[in-house]
Amino acid sequence: MADQKARIAVLGASGYTGSELVRLLLRHPRVEITVLTADRKAGQAMADVFPQFAPFPLPKLLTIEEADFSAVDLVFCALPHATTQQVVKGLLEKHPNLKVVDLSADFRLSDPGAYEQWYGHPHAALDLQKEAVFGLVEIYREEIKAARLVANPGCHTTTAILPIVPLLEAGAIEPDSIVIDSKTGMSGAGRSAKEAMLFSEISEGTFAYSVGSHRHMGELDQEYSKAAGRPVTPMFVPVLSPMNRGIYATIFVRTTGANAEDLHQLIATYYKGEPFVHVLPFGQVPLSRHTRGSNMVFIGVVADRVAGRAIIVSTLDNLVKGASGQAVQNMNLVLGFPETLGLEQIALSP
Amino acid sequence: MADQKARIAVLGASGYTGSELVRLLLRHPRVEITVLTADRKAGQAMADVFPQFAPFPLPKLLTIEEADFSAVDLVFCALPHATTQQVVKGLLEKHPNLKVVDLSADFRLSDPGAYEQWYGHPHAALDLQKEAVFGLVEIYREEIKAARLVANPGCHTTTAILPIVPLLEAGAIEPDSIVIDSKTGMSGAGRSAKEAMLFSEISEGTFAYSVGSHRHMGELDQEYSKAAGRPVTPMFVPVLSPMNRGIYATIFVRTTGANAEDLHQLIATYYKGEPFVHVLPFGQVPLSRHTRGSNMVFIGVVADRVAGRAIIVSTLDNLVKGASGQAVQNMNLVLGFPETLGLEQIALSP
Amino acid sequence: MADQKARIAVLGASGYTGSELVRLLLRHPRVEITVLTADRKAGQAMADVFPQFAPFPLPKLLTIEEADFSAVDLVFCALPHATTQQVVKGLLEKHPNLKVVDLSADFRLSDPGAYEQWYGHPHAALDLQKEAVFGLVEIYREEIKAARLVANPGCHTTTAILPIVPLLEAGAIEPDSIVIDSKTGMSGAGRSAKEAMLFSEISEGTFAYSVGSHRHMGELDQEYSKAAGRPVTPMFVPVLSPMNRGIYATIFVRTTGANAEDLHQLIATYYKGEPFVHVLPFGQVPLSRHTRGSNMVFIGVVADRVAGRAIIVSTLDNLVKGASGQAVQNMNLVLGFPETLGLEQIALSP
Amino acid sequence: MADQKARIAVLGASGYTGSELVRLLLRHPRVEITVLTADRKAGQAMADVFPQFAPFPLPKLLTIEEADFSAVDLVFCALPHATTQQVVKGLLEKHPNLKVVDLSADFRLSDPGAYEQWYGHPHAALDLQKEAVFGLVEIYREEIKAARLVANPGCHTTTAILPIVPLLEAGAIEPDSIVIDSKTGMSGAGRSAKEAMLFSEISEGTFAYSVGSHRHMGELDQEYSKAAGRPVTPMFVPVLSPMNRGIYATIFVRTTGANAEDLHQLIATYYKGEPFVHVLPFGQVPLSRHTRGSNMVFIGVVADRVAGRAIIVSTLDNLVKGASGQAVQNMNLVLGFPETLGLEQIALSP
């Protein structure tokens, strides 16, 4: 039976998106984890780094150089920005039949100029950047099925793109009116030891960061502009909320004539039948907890007190639908598995 | 010595704004608390309701009917909406020389029509509504000094009014562009036992409430419109952040020609010398923790990536500058004490 | 296919153990939920009470009286203490072939005298009390397989019984030396709206409750005494830790001659091969997070600095292995399913 | 007026005990802060390191070498262990009239052998170790008044020593029966950037650390043994609770004949009139929140269900009475100020 399973490598298994991939893949009926890498923790067992995995058999952590990818079917790449493009380039040159789902930001911007503008240096793997498919399944499902390299979108961007794209495509909102205040839990910042990320600095407080210019805006611009058929540059501020998991975006828009109920209808129709997108009844808003630990996105639409204005709320778990869950969803498409396989878990609340 | 101190009553001492008043007043060198009321907890000691006060002598909790106000100089009224106007009316009829600082929303809207629109019923004390002074010290300091009845502003509104009024007065921003996403800690919701306020419902989550139409918008409209000299109806959404204390407002604006640095300059100049308003250097944003437990407001201004747009961040402790601290600040003015007396405490972080 | 599935009723579905049962059962491949009751929320959809279930089809909430149990195979009873014994008695009189897994404390004490002592009134269903099997799978697996009525143990008690029973059975520790400080997350207190359970009362604080005499001590006494072959009455204090999920017991013991490493060996041997008990290497202690959302118990044993003394740490998720997960584990045994079915989920951390 | 104030230096101002000292001293009417050191942040303003101080004038951070102590009256030393003894030795050699309140563990153990045993190396300033007074004011008040060097006790130890010393002195409890489970908030771990202290590792979890052998046990042994007149080696486990501030010790004891109410009486009598120790009525236990941000200790005593056993609960704010507040209390004694000066602040709850 085991030999029928797809063989999976996770690069960067010692971070939170890496451990979340392992959590999901260990329970996925059609895959087995055969390679785990983590450069700084190489030589350790996964259970040394994340003791919750102690009861389960897993390969030892290796450096990327030590790892053997010859029998691997698909690689999840959960490495830091910039490193990634080098690593993926090397991997695919050596193993051109590998499938790659990349969780970094390296292949999300299809325009090399936009990449250079946001990241301050030219892209090191232009061919792959061109080849990569933006892994937002609900919008690019067919392209992903055929892809070799999928660029898994960011957590803030998945949250903000899903509810707005249907409205821009329909011309129902003013593209220049969009304002996004996107609250995030702390796990999105990763596991590096930084003073500003200590419990004693974060608990019992809230604050905005990267105000005015956050790199993931490039993804918003790209997808919004594509949907609108013209350049769109929304206002966007990420805000830290003292919780582990969750993105909670409050999105303020002005309509081009439609009322808020029409916006709700557009979104609900667009995502009808989608297994991982739930649109609440008009006028209701979700809580971030309703998606915690699950691969769901919950979306609500409410009318503002002033006609022609609406508030859209979108929420998901940044480590699942905002990262590793969406990555597994992409893997399912790439490998021809049922899209929801291994992703059925329902939210924990409390 | 004690007979030189002002005698203070706190109505509604069993709520969080009530206990915060007691915390501050117990250490204020010029006052003594002589009356505490709490209808549902009448007969109990304050230490039964808030054990942190056990080491300190305090009068027993009474019903309002039992309380004797004949020797009281100033009353803090921390009662629920609507009850308040009846109670204050009765009190001032019987004791016309009393001073009152009201922490409810009952006397904040000077326009009876606006009151009726937001609260769904006519005001029961129209003369007092007319007489009341809006207790935002930094803007109405002189009027407050002469007032008998001060309407202490709300926590969301104090946070959002202070940074924006200077910009509207100067005509520096588009009045119709203002979008406010105002994160709040849980203590602002009070101490009533509601399922939705349980730890197990709030911790580890974030959510928006009263979306589209929150009653405190009436205060924003009133003060913004006054400052702009024309009607202003901002977009405003309050969002629950899983923390005890703090309001953290992200405010999105478009300028009328000025750049973000000009906005910063306008705000900094407006509040120069104010003891409780701190404007950060241009481009920096505060954390809500920087004001926790103190009477300070911290304000930051940042340029958006697109010219002509700016993000303004304003934060305070909802129980101090957003409620009881501002109420004591008002008391200090009304009673002729130095404005900062009893309010010197510096923020706790962590 | 559906007709081959076992038909399950959940009584008390509007509480946290109820919703946790629904979360687990919805993903269990061999059951379908056919009846949900919640007296005070009867008539509502489960999604009205717990919006995380909105995307999934579930029966409407009924009163127990409205519910039809004639086609039900097994009932989970997640009702308050005392109500339960009446309800279960009525159910089993009418449907003697029903299987029942009861999550209340009503059937956990096999001695009617002990029940009366701890609960202050005689038991109302003495025959059933006698019939009920204590549902601690790792200790009573065979009895449970044959049971009609399983009394699912409490969360504090599961945590404290599992590591200590092997030591008492082996005579390796002084029965009178046992001291248990058992930290618990807030969800164990349930979903009733009480002032003392508000976020603003719980967050950022820790406190002991039911000090000196907590009802669940009866379960500890019963199981410890049985294992020791003599009466044992441990010291036990439950302590609230400001988190949603988790029991974390620090257990202090004195040995009868063995050293701490021997204790570790006894426990590790006792639970060798158990799918839901993980014993850490000697000298290591777990974090409560390592079990969050999973059905695992993690146990650690450490030597004290003084010979002949040891500290044992035991932790689990109070809503899973401490309640609903263990209940599903019991169901699996009672219905002849593989014991781990539907319980494979790995802990969420963060 | 300013020239009458005592001039204070804070060494190690960039840590949490350092910032807490600054918070308290800035509002102390009889002192002024003239020197702040922080080796790794030297050259920065205090407001760069702790932005809550931005509104208040403070000296720039220096290295210890840069600082001029010639006009300083008292030094608070909030440096890491081991560094401290060198620094204090050097300071007092150069400025023998300086007063020093040391917040590290370096001078707390009066027995050089005990020091060497717990810290693994000989003490580098044996004369000073001998000279230092253990700064637990309620027990050593008169010695402290005359001291040049005060060793401020640890947070766990202050919490556990205060309630137990009166009982050991009276011979009312079995010295070998003492078991202490001491919950602590995260700020006690300091501000160094460590993976294990990240919000995403701490929030929503609880765990024990340094199990079996924690260095601060040396202080417990010393003070307990002194009180008992014989060697006492309690069992002690520190446990991390996911909160910022607070120590919450559950202490289990067996009496020598007295009942729990007698223990309560002994403690209450011992601390009668103490401004910072509050003993609750018999049978009641405090919450850690009741002391948050204040210099108070709250103590409760409860009878166990078995005669001859009792549970004692003791709680304080680890950064105030557990560190910087107690240090200021010591300073007040050393400099001849009223003991409570600058420490009047009442607990914040919520």
Side-chain angles (χ1 to χ4, degrees):
Chain A
M1 195 70 167
D3 57 326
Q4 301 174 341
K5 290 186 173 182
R7 290 150 304 185
I8 306 294
V10 176
L11 311 189
S14 63
Y16 292 139
T17 50
S19 74
E20 192 75 356
L21 282 165
V22 170
R23 180 176 79 83
L24 295 169
L25 295 170
L26 264 174
R27 292 324 196 201
H28 192 291
R30 300 286 296 277
V31 307
E32 58 176 334
I33 300 172
T34 57
V35 173
L36 291 177
T37 81
D39 277 17
R40 281 178 308 165
K41 313 251 177 173
Q44 297 188 42
M46 190 64 178
D48 296 331
V49 182
F50 291 105
Q52 66 266 32
F53 295 117
F56 314 105
L58 279 170
K60 209 171 64 169
L61 294 170
L62 306 173
T63 62
I64 293 179
E65 288 69 32
E66 291 167 341
D68 174 6
F69 295 92
S70 56
V72 167
D73 296 303
L74 184 143
V75 170
F76 288 103
C77 192
L79 298 172
H81 163 70
T83 318
T84 302
Q85 47 200 265
Q86 304 285 0
V87 168
V88 172
K89 193 180 173 184
L91 265 180
L92 288 177
E93 277 169 6
K94 216 168 152 192
H95 309 279
N97 293 324
L98 259 187
K99 307 288 189 179
V100 176
V101 177
D102 177 35
L103 288 87
S104 84
D106 274 22
F107 295 103
R108 294 179 193 157
L109 299 186
S110 58
D111 173 11
Y115 180 87
E116 205 167 330
Q117 177 204 326
W118 284 104
Y119 294 95
H121 61 89
H123 200 284
L126 282 175
D127 283 357
L128 291 175
Q129 193 188 16
K130 204 170 158 187
E131 177 189 339
V133 174
F134 195 71
L136 198 48
V137 178
E138 289 75 13
I139 296 183
Y140 299 104
R141 185 172 280 117
E142 295 313 312
E143 294 88 331
I144 294 164
K145 284 180 184 169
R148 182 175 67 152
L149 170 57
V150 179
N152 211 55
C155 50
H156 284 296
T157 42
T158 298
T159 317
I161 291 169
L162 283 174
I164 296 304
V165 156
L167 308 182
L168 288 171
E169 286 189 355
I173 57 172
E174 293 285 358
D176 293 336
S177 73
I178 306 168
V179 169
I180 304 160
D181 190 294
S182 189
K183 275 67 68 182
T184 175
M186 195 62 205
S187 59
R191 209 189 194 191
S192 38
K194 294 183 186 156
E195 182 184 287
M197 289 162 55
L198 296 177
F199 180 87
S200 298
E201 300 290 317
I202 295 299
S203 175
E204 282 294 297
T206 293
F207 59 90
Y209 62 96
S210 301
V211 179
S213 183
H214 182 281
R215 282 174 171 186
H216 293 190
M217 286 181 183
E219 299 170 43
L220 290 179
D221 292 1
Q222 171 177 293
E223 299 303 312
Y224 282 6
S225 300
K226 208 169 187 174
R230 46 151 282 192
V232 183
T233 54
M235 292 189 86
F236 168 81
V237 170
V239 173
L240 204 292
S241 199
M243 57 187 188
N244 282 294
R245 288 166 179 256
I247 302 284
Y248 194 87
T250 331
I251 309 176
F252 302 82
V253 298
R254 288 159 201 258
T255 71
T256 52
N259 60 31
E261 213 157 349
D262 299 330
L263 303 189
H264 178 260
Q265 190 55 48
L266 282 167
I267 299 171
T269 304
Y270 200 96
Y271 294 111
K272 198 176 154 76
E274 284 293 344
F276 296 124
V277 180
H278 173 67
V279 182
L280 280 75
F282 178 67
Q284 294 183 15
V285 294
L287 280 69
S288 68
R289 282 166 153 262
H290 297 159
T291 66
R292 192 162 47 133
S294 85
N295 200 49
M296 296 297 301
V297 185
F298 273 46
I299 297 171
V301 180
V302 182
D304 189 67
R305 55 168 173 161
V306 171
R309 307 194 309 203
I311 295 112
I312 297 164
V313 172
S314 177
T315 188
L316 52 75
D317 182 321
N318 55 300
L319 289 182
V320 193
K321 182 63 178 170
S324 305
Q326 182 145 267
V328 170
Q329 193 182 353
N330 277 310
M331 174 197 80
N332 284 339
L333 293 185
V334 165
L335 297 182
F337 300 152
E339 189 177 321
T340 61
L341 214 60
L343 296 170
E344 301 88 350
Q345 185 178 325
I346 297 169
L348 254 72
S349 173
Chain B
M1 196 69 166
D3 58 326
Q4 300 175 340
K5 289 186 173 181
R7 290 151 304 186
I8 306 294
V10 176
L11 310 188
S14 63
Y16 292 139
T17 50
S19 74
E20 192 75 356
L21 282 165
V22 171
R23 180 176 79 83
L24 295 169
L25 295 170
L26 264 174
R27 292 323 196 203
H28 192 292
R30 300 285 298 276
V31 307
E32 60 175 334
I33 300 171
T34 57
V35 173
L36 291 176
T37 82
D39 277 18
R40 281 177 308 163
K41 313 253 178 173
Q44 297 188 42
M46 189 64 177
D48 296 331
V49 182
F50 290 106
Q52 66 265 34
F53 295 119
F56 313 105
L58 279 171
K60 208 170 65 170
L61 294 171
L62 306 173
T63 64
I64 293 179
E65 289 68 33
E66 291 168 342
D68 175 5
F69 295 92
S70 56
V72 167
D73 297 303
L74 184 143
V75 170
F76 288 103
C77 191
L79 298 172
H81 164 68
T83 319
T84 302
Q85 49 200 266
Q86 303 285 0
V87 168
V88 173
K89 194 181 173 184
L91 265 180
L92 287 177
E93 277 169 5
K94 215 168 151 193
H95 309 280
N97 294 325
L98 258 186
K99 307 289 188 179
V100 176
V101 177
D102 178 35
L103 287 87
S104 84
D106 274 22
F107 295 103
R108 294 178 193 157
L109 299 185
S110 58
D111 173 11
Y115 180 88
E116 206 167 330
Q117 176 205 326
W118 285 103
Y119 292 94
H121 60 89
H123 202 283
L126 281 175
D127 282 358
L128 291 175
Q129 192 189 15
K130 206 171 155 186
E131 177 189 338
V133 173
F134 194 72
L136 197 48
V137 178
E138 288 75 12
I139 296 182
Y140 299 105
R141 184 172 279 117
E142 295 313 313
E143 293 87 331
I144 294 165
K145 285 180 182 168
R148 181 174 69 153
L149 171 57
V150 179
N152 210 56
C155 49
H156 284 297
T157 43
T158 298
T159 317
I161 292 170
L162 284 173
I164 296 303
V165 157
L167 307 182
L168 287 171
E169 286 188 357
I173 57 171
E174 293 286 359
D176 293 336
S177 73
I178 306 169
V179 170
I180 304 160
D181 190 294
S182 190
K183 276 65 68 182
T184 175
M186 195 62 206
S187 59
R191 209 190 195 191
S192 37
K194 294 184 185 155
E195 183 185 286
M197 289 162 55
L198 296 176
F199 179 86
S200 297
E201 300 290 317
I202 296 299
S203 174
E204 281 295 297
T206 293
F207 59 90
Y209 63 96
S210 301
V211 179
S213 184
H214 182 281
R215 281 175 171 184
H216 292 190
M217 285 181 183
E219 299 169 44
L220 289 179
D221 291 0
Q222 171 178 292
E223 299 302 313
Y224 281 6
S225 299
K226 210 169 186 175
R230 46 152 281 193
V232 184
T233 54
M235 293 189 86
F236 168 81
V237 169
V239 173
L240 204 292
S241 199
M243 57 185 188
N244 283 293
R245 288 166 178 255
I247 302 283
Y248 194 87
T250 331
I251 309 176
F252 303 80
V253 299
R254 287 158 201 259
T255 71
T256 51
N259 61 31
E261 212 157 351
D262 299 329
L263 303 189
H264 178 262
Q265 188 56 47
L266 281 167
I267 299 172
T269 305
Y270 200 95
Y271 295 111
K272 198 176 155 75
E274 284 293 344
F276 295 123
V277 180
H278 173 68
V279 182
L280 281 76
F282 177 67
Q284 293 184 14
V285 294
L287 280 68
S288 68
R289 283 166 152 260
H290 297 159
T291 66
R292 192 162 48 132
S294 85
N295 200 49
M296 297 298 300
V297 186
F298 272 47
I299 298 171
V301 180
V302 181
D304 189 66
R305 54 167 173 162
V306 171
R309 307 195 309 203
I311 295 113
I312 297 164
V313 172
S314 177
T315 188
L316 51 74
D317 182 321
N318 56 300
L319 290 181
V320 193
K321 182 62 178 171
S324 305
Q326 181 145 268
V328 170
Q329 192 182 354
N330 276 309
M331 175 197 81
N332 283 340
L333 293 185
V334 165
L335 297 181
F337 300 151
E339 189 176 321
T340 60
L341 214 60
L343 295 170
E344 301 88 350
Q345 186 177 325
I346 296 170
L348 253 71
S349 173
Chain C
M1 196 70 167
D3 57 327
Q4 302 175 338
K5 291 187 172 179
R7 289 149 304 185
I8 307 294
V10 176
L11 310 189
S14 64
Y16 292 139
T17 50
S19 74
E20 192 76 354
L21 282 165
V22 170
R23 179 176 79 84
L24 295 168
L25 295 169
L26 264 174
R27 292 325 196 199
H28 192 291
R30 301 283 298 274
V31 307
E32 59 175 333
I33 300 171
T34 57
V35 173
L36 291 176
T37 81
D39 278 17
R40 281 177 309 164
K41 313 252 176 172
Q44 297 188 42
M46 190 64 177
D48 296 332
V49 181
F50 290 105
Q52 66 266 33
F53 296 118
F56 314 106
L58 279 169
K60 210 171 65 169
L61 295 170
L62 306 173
T63 63
I64 292 179
E65 289 69 31
E66 291 167 342
D68 175 5
F69 295 91
S70 56
V72 167
D73 297 303
L74 184 143
V75 170
F76 288 103
C77 191
L79 297 172
H81 163 70
T83 319
T84 302
Q85 49 200 262
Q86 303 286 359
V87 167
V88 172
K89 193 182 175 185
L91 265 180
L92 288 177
E93 277 169 6
K94 218 170 150 190
H95 308 280
N97 294 324
L98 258 186
K99 308 288 188 179
V100 176
V101 177
D102 178 35
L103 288 87
S104 84
D106 274 22
F107 296 103
R108 292 178 194 158
L109 300 184
S110 58
D111 173 11
Y115 180 87
E116 206 167 330
Q117 177 205 326
W118 285 103
Y119 293 95
H121 61 89
H123 200 283
L126 282 175
D127 283 357
L128 291 175
Q129 192 188 15
K130 204 171 158 187
E131 176 189 339
V133 173
F134 194 71
L136 197 49
V137 178
E138 288 75 12
I139 295 182
Y140 299 105
R141 185 171 280 118
E142 294 313 312
E143 294 88 330
I144 294 164
K145 284 180 183 168
R148 183 175 67 152
L149 170 57
V150 179
N152 210 55
C155 50
H156 283 298
T157 43
T158 298
T159 317
I161 291 170
L162 284 173
I164 297 302
V165 156
L167 307 182
L168 287 171
E169 287 188 355
I173 57 172
E174 293 286 359
D176 293 336
S177 72
I178 307 169
V179 169
I180 304 160
D181 190 294
S182 189
K183 276 65 71 180
T184 175
M186 194 63 206
S187 59
R191 209 190 195 190
S192 38
K194 293 182 186 158
E195 182 184 286
M197 289 162 55
L198 296 177
F199 179 87
S200 297
E201 300 289 318
I202 295 299
S203 174
E204 283 294 297
T206 293
F207 59 90
Y209 63 95
S210 302
V211 178
S213 183
H214 182 281
R215 283 175 170 185
H216 292 190
M217 285 181 184
E219 299 170 43
L220 290 178
D221 291 1
Q222 170 177 292
E223 299 302 313
Y224 281 7
S225 301
K226 208 168 187 177
R230 46 151 281 195
V232 184
T233 54
M235 293 190 86
F236 168 81
V237 169
V239 173
L240 204 293
S241 199
M243 57 187 186
N244 283 294
R245 288 166 178 254
I247 303 285
Y248 194 87
T250 331
I251 309 176
F252 303 81
V253 299
R254 287 159 200 259
T255 71
T256 52
N259 60 31
E261 212 156 351
D262 299 330
L263 304 189
H264 178 261
Q265 188 57 46
L266 281 167
I267 299 172
T269 304
Y270 201 95
Y271 293 112
K272 197 175 155 75
E274 284 293 345
F276 296 124
V277 180
H278 173 68
V279 181
L280 280 75
F282 177 67
Q284 293 184 15
V285 294
L287 281 69
S288 69
R289 282 165 152 261
H290 297 159
T291 66
R292 191 161 50 131
S294 85
N295 200 49
M296 296 298 301
V297 185
F298 273 47
I299 297 172
V301 180
V302 181
D304 189 66
R305 54 168 173 160
V306 172
R309 307 194 309 202
I311 295 113
I312 296 165
V313 172
S314 177
T315 188
L316 52 74
D317 182 321
N318 57 300
L319 290 181
V320 193
K321 182 62 177 171
S324 306
Q326 182 145 265
V328 170
Q329 192 182 355
N330 277 308
M331 175 196 79
N332 283 340
L333 293 185
V334 166
L335 297 182
F337 299 150
E339 189 177 322
T340 59
L341 214 60
L343 296 170
E344 301 89 350
Q345 185 178 325
I346 297 170
L348 253 71
S349 174
Chain D
M1 196 70 166
D3 57 327
Q4 300 175 342
K5 291 187 172 179
R7 288 151 304 185
I8 306 294
V10 176
L11 310 189
S14 63
Y16 292 140
T17 50
S19 75
E20 192 75 355
L21 282 165
V22 170
R23 180 177 78 83
L24 295 168
L25 294 170
L26 264 173
R27 292 324 196 202
H28 192 291
R30 300 284 297 275
V31 307
E32 59 176 333
I33 300 171
T34 56
V35 173
L36 291 176
T37 82
D39 277 17
R40 281 178 309 164
K41 313 252 177 173
Q44 297 189 42
M46 189 65 176
D48 296 332
V49 181
F50 290 106
Q52 66 266 31
F53 296 118
F56 313 106
L58 279 170
K60 209 170 66 169
L61 295 170
L62 306 173
T63 63
I64 293 179
E65 289 69 32
E66 291 167 342
D68 175 6
F69 295 93
S70 56
V72 167
D73 297 302
L74 184 142
V75 170
F76 288 103
C77 190
L79 298 172
H81 163 70
T83 319
T84 301
Q85 49 200 265
Q86 304 285 0
V87 168
V88 172
K89 193 181 174 184
L91 264 180
L92 288 177
E93 277 170 5
K94 215 168 152 191
H95 310 279
N97 293 325
L98 258 186
K99 308 288 188 179
V100 175
V101 178
D102 177 35
L103 288 88
S104 84
D106 274 22
F107 296 102
R108 293 179 193 157
L109 299 185
S110 58
D111 174 11
Y115 180 87
E116 205 166 332
Q117 177 204 327
W118 285 103
Y119 293 95
H121 61 91
H123 201 283
L126 281 175
D127 283 357
L128 291 175
Q129 192 188 16
K130 203 170 159 189
E131 175 189 340
V133 174
F134 195 71
L136 198 49
V137 178
E138 288 74 14
I139 296 182
Y140 298 105
R141 185 172 279 116
E142 295 313 312
E143 293 88 331
I144 294 164
K145 284 180 183 169
R148 182 175 69 152
L149 171 57
V150 179
N152 210 55
C155 49
H156 283 298
T157 43
T158 298
T159 316
I161 291 170
L162 284 174
I164 296 304
V165 157
L167 307 182
L168 287 172
E169 286 188 356
I173 57 172
E174 293 286 359
D176 293 336
S177 72
I178 306 169
V179 170
I180 304 160
D181 189 294
S182 190
K183 276 65 68 182
T184 175
M186 194 63 206
S187 60
R191 209 190 195 192
S192 38
K194 294 182 185 157
E195 183 184 285
M197 290 163 55
L198 296 177
F199 180 87
S200 298
E201 299 290 317
I202 295 299
S203 173
E204 282 295 297
T206 293
F207 59 91
Y209 62 95
S210 301
V211 179
S213 184
H214 183 281
R215 283 175 169 184
H216 292 191
M217 285 181 183
E219 299 170 43
L220 289 179
D221 291 1
Q222 170 177 291
E223 300 301 314
Y224 281 7
S225 300
K226 209 169 186 176
R230 46 151 282 194
V232 183
T233 53
M235 292 189 86
F236 168 81
V237 170
V239 174
L240 203 292
S241 199
M243 57 186 189
N244 283 294
R245 288 167 178 255
I247 302 284
Y248 193 88
T250 331
I251 309 176
F252 303 81
V253 299
R254 287 159 201 259
T255 71
T256 51
N259 61 30
E261 213 157 350
D262 300 329
L263 304 189
H264 178 261
Q265 188 57 47
L266 281 167
I267 299 173
T269 305
Y270 201 95
Y271 294 112
K272 199 176 153 75
E274 284 293 345
F276 295 123
V277 180
H278 173 69
V279 181
L280 280 75
F282 178 67
Q284 292 184 16
V285 294
L287 281 68
S288 68
R289 282 165 153 263
H290 297 159
T291 66
R292 191 161 50 131
S294 85
N295 200 49
M296 296 298 300
V297 185
F298 273 47
I299 297 171
V301 180
V302 181
D304 188 66
R305 54 170 174 159
V306 171
R309 306 194 310 202
I311 295 114
I312 296 165
V313 173
S314 177
T315 188
L316 52 74
D317 182 322
N318 56 299
L319 289 182
V320 193
K321 181 64 178 171
S324 305
Q326 182 145 268
V328 170
Q329 192 183 353
N330 276 310
M331 174 197 80
N332 283 339
L333 293 185
V334 166
L335 297 183
F337 300 150
E339 188 177 322
T340 59
L341 213 60
L343 296 170
E344 301 89 350
Q345 185 177 325
I346 297 170
L348 252 71
S349 174

